[in-house]
Amino acid sequence: MPVLNEAAYLEHAVASVLAQEHDGPSELILALGPSSDGTTELARRMAADDRRIRLVDNPAADIPVGLNLAIRAGAHPTIVRVDAHSELEAGYTARALTTLARTRAANVGGVMRADGRTPFQRAVARAYNSPIGLGGGAYHSGGDEGPAESAYLGVMRRDVLEGVGFFDESIRRGEDWELNLRIRRAGYRVWFDPALAVTYWPRESWVRLAQQFRSTGTWRGELVRRYGRRNSLRFFAPPLLVLALVLAIAVAALILTGVLTGGWALAASIVFLPLIAYALLVVWVALRPGTGQSRRERLWTLAVLPTMHVAWGLGFVVGVLRGARENVDSSRLHRNTPLP
């Protein structure tokens, strides 16, 4: 479990891991980044109270670096990746180990079930769980069991990780997708099991959400630079939305200034249609009846969906054009660290 500034979530995340029941010994290794909110002190107290918890330092703060440090410090043949912003459901580990053996896969993952404690966070969670929000990946919105492109978190065989070279420490975001790409290219299977579920707690503020998605989009742009068409088509939807928005602004300016008039203005106005359709889709997702959301959650949804898509799309464009080596997810860390 890589950990950085998670004082509000760490105890619940750790408790959900230690409560897992399965045959054989286990350990929980926390890779501690340079937190500033008391997370490190909290982790040390928990480790002092439970011998199963071990700590390793991750001064670089980057997730793939912390994951590799924790994996190399481990003593067991199976790796269960856990996020400090999440909670494993009861029976997760036992089910995952069974699925791993049954399918002879190298990595098994399940569904990310986002949840929230505030109206804003619940609105973000609803967007995460919707195909409209994050593009319809099986581990966001569910689906049938079977081979998968990637896995959320993942329960992995150590020998395979060693064989493919662990996580790529030159990638700050999207490291799981890139690892699973190498696993599949090495001839192993990545498996999705919808019976596996992990509760995920999204960012707690609009600014942090925008920062997170801008960073994620930038790194996806970097991965497109590196791996091209191996990236799923769904990753290109947000940048297309940004392109449509830019074109619409340009056409509107030309019409308002009188550069485009008459039939030319009417013909150019076709660029507004995709944005109108998108706006109607967002309104439908936010306001449709029967979802049990409060008024504040519905209003936040109207802001959350475009924020996620536009921030991701803008980041993607920057990542494709300039790369992502200098990018940092400032929603959790306000400084950069050198890459290998």
Side-chain angles (χ1 to χ4, degrees), residues 42-55:
L42 174 60
R44 287 172 178 162
R45 290 196 298 272
M46 289 190 294
D49 292 335
D50 196 308
R51 295 170 56 188
R52 291 173 292 176
I53 301 175
R54 295 176 55 201
L55 309 179

Side-chain angles (χ1 to χ4, degrees), residues 28-324:
L28 171 59
I29 304 176
L30 308 183
L32 300 179
S35 296
S36 57
D37 66 347
T39 294
T40 299
E41 293 75 16
L42 174 60
R44 287 172 178 162
R45 290 196 298 272
M46 289 190 294
D49 292 335
D50 196 308
R51 295 170 56 188
R52 291 173 292 176
I53 301 175
R54 295 176 55 201
L55 309 179
V56 296
D57 289 329
N58 176 25
D62 293 323
I63 290 175
V65 175
L67 287 168
N68 285 343
L69 287 168
I71 291 167
R72 290 189 174 105
H76 300 295
T78 306
I79 307 298
V80 181
R81 179 180 172 180
V82 190
D83 192 287
H85 230 61
S86 66
E87 297 175 25
L88 303 184
E89 292 202 352
Y92 175 90
T93 301
R95 169 80 188 196
L97 292 173
T98 300
T99 302
L100 197 67
R102 172 173 56 86
T103 62
R104 298 183 180 179
N107 189 10
V108 170
V111 179
M112 171 203 282
R113 290 182 180 166
D115 202 350
R117 300 172 178 173
T118 66
F120 173 81
Q121 202 176 37
R122 286 193 292 271
V124 177
R126 186 182 179 199
Y128 265 80
N129 296 331
S130 167
I132 305 301
L134 289 181
Y139 55 86
H140 290 303
S141 54
D144 296 329
E145 181 178 7
E149 175 188 20
S150 187
Y152 175 57
L153 298 180
V155 178
M156 297 164 273
R157 290 165 42 192
R158 173 187 289 276
D159 60 336
V160 174
L161 284 178
E162 292 174 346
V164 301
F166 297 96
F167 286 91
D168 186 339
E169 295 181 5
S170 72
I171 299 175
R172 287 196 174 97
R173 307 284 296 186
E175 73 287 339
D176 48 354
W177 178 88
E178 191 276 339
L179 172 67
N180 284 297
L181 174 63
R182 281 187 283 124
I183 288 174
R184 290 186 287 108
R185 291 172 69 181
Y188 299 101
R189 283 196 292 184
V190 177
W191 196 264
F192 171 71
D193 183 353
L196 298 173
V198 180
T199 299
Y200 172 79
W201 304 98
R203 295 295 188 270
E204 304 89 342
S205 72
W206 181 83
V207 171
R208 289 189 174 186
L209 179 72
Q211 291 171 334
Q212 177 193 17
F213 272 78
R214 179 187 61 81
S215 179
T216 302
T218 301
W219 277 101
R220 178 53 59 180
E222 171 69 27
L223 292 174
V224 166
R225 285 167 64 98
R226 297 190 191 191
Y227 298 104
R229 289 181 296 176
R230 293 187 180 92
N231 291 267
S232 173
L233 288 177
R234 71 176 184 274
F235 295 131
F236 294 87
L240 287 176
L241 173 64
V242 169
L243 176 62
L245 185 61
V246 171
L247 288 175
I249 292 173
V251 169
L254 292 175
I255 292 175
L256 291 174
T257 56
V259 176
L260 288 177
T261 59
W264 288 108
L266 183 62
S269 297
I270 196 173
V271 302
F272 299 124
L273 295 180
L275 294 180
I276 293 172
Y278 174 76
L280 292 174
L281 180 63
V282 170
V283 171
W284 176 77
V285 171
L287 304 182
R288 60 177 175 166
T291 58
Q293 284 196 313
S294 67
R295 181 178 300 178
R296 290 183 63 190
E297 291 172 45
R298 292 175 185 274
L299 292 175
W300 270 123
T301 301
L302 291 172
V304 160
L305 281 170
T307 296
M308 291 166 55
H309 295 152
V310 173
W312 204 101
L314 288 171
F316 181 95
V317 173
V318 171
V320 166
L321 295 178
R322 298 176 54 188

